[in-house]
């Protein structure tokens, strides 16, 4: 069975909105104010190359669809060529190559994907999708890159949840020299 791995950039106050600055959030671009160093780059590279599919919500998908096709290099080639699964109720056409749209029976379709042989399924961004995945116990690993900044406002990874989640810390590591930390959690139970 494949693992579903959620990967997020977040601030100390749990904001995940617009880490790169492309979404025009007034406090966006915060992730690139910090040097995550070669260890942080390796963390991101390892999680991508340990995956052979991506699962994305509409907003993140559309941002990635604008950015990645024009990029080059090994990381970009992997992003552009791997199978992508887009969870959306509003789009019927996906322009980024190797994309399959999931509109109905979402949890069932994701369980089917997890049951297939292969490497991890990576979820990046996709805040609302991640909240639903957690609610339905579909997340096997939560990978956070935490940046030492408090924004005071913005969309948060976990704001209101319908269930309580206990997590087990698997790894924590400072990366770079600017106070960035990577953390890996696995869900224990849902109540």
């Amino acid at each position: 069975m494949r693992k579903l791995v959620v990967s997020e950039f977040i601030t100390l106050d749990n904001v995940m909105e617009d880490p790169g600055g492309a979404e025009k959030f007034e406090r966006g671009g915060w992730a690139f104010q910090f040097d995550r160093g070669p260890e942080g780059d390796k963390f991101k590279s390892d999680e991508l190359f340990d995956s052979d599919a991506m699962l994305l919500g509409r907003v993140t998908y559309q941002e990635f669809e604008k950015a990645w096709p024009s990029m080059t290099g090994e990381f970009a080639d992997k992003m552009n060529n791997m199978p992508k699964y887009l969870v959306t109720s509003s789009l019927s056409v996906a322009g980024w190559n190797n994309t399959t749209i999931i509109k109905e029976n979402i949890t069932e379709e994701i369980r089917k994907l997890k049951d297939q042989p292969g490497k991890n399924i990576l979820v990046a961004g996709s805040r609302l999708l991640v909240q639903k995945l957690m609610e339905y116990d579909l997340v096997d690993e939560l990978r956070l890159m935490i940046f030492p900044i408090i924004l005071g406002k913005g969309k948060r990874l976990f704001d209101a949840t319908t269930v309580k989640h206990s997590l087990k810390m698997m790894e924590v590591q400072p990366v770079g020299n600017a106070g960035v930390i990577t953390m890996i959690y696995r869900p224990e139970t849902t109540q």
Side-chain angles (χ1 to χ4, degrees), residues 19-78:
E23 299 168 40
K24 308 298 182 232
F25 169 50
E26 66 183 272
R27 297 181 186 181
W30 47 268
F32 297 111
Q33 296 173 22
F34 301 94
D35 177 16
R36 65 185 190 196
E39 316 88 45
D41 292 344
K42 183 177 181 334
F43 181 83
K44 297 306 292 177
S45 180
D46 286 352
E47 73 186 9
L48 179 66
F49 286 93
D50 288 342
S51 303
D52 62 7
M54 291 192 77
L55 179 67
L56 300 166
R58 181 191 55 81
V59 174
T60 300
Y61 177 87
Q62 288 180 312
E63 290 299 322
F64 283 10
E65 180 184 34
K66 280 189 247 172
W68 284 105
S70 64
M71 294 187 193
T72 59
E74 187 179 19
F75 198 92
D77 289 347
K78 176 76 171 175

Side-chain angles (χ1 to χ4, degrees), residues 19 35 50 56 63 84 105 119 127 130 164 168 171 173 177:
D35 177 16
D50 288 342
L56 300 166
E63 290 299 322
K84 291 165 275 295
N105 305 316
K119 294 181 174 184
R127 180 179 65 94
V130 169
K164 182 172 86 173
K168 179 177 183 180
E171 181 182 311
Q173 177 184 353
N177 59 6

Side-chain angles (χ1 to χ4, degrees), residues 3 9 19 25 31 36 43 58 62 68 73 80 87 96 99 140 147 156 159 166 179 181 186:
K3 285 194 312 187
F9 289 166
F25 169 50
R36 65 185 190 196
F43 181 83
R58 181 191 55 81
Q62 288 180 312
W68 284 105
N80 287 317
V87 176
W96 197 10
T99 299
D140 298 297
F147 292 81
R156 287 173 164 72
D159 40 12
S166 295
I181 296 172
R186 290 196 182 134

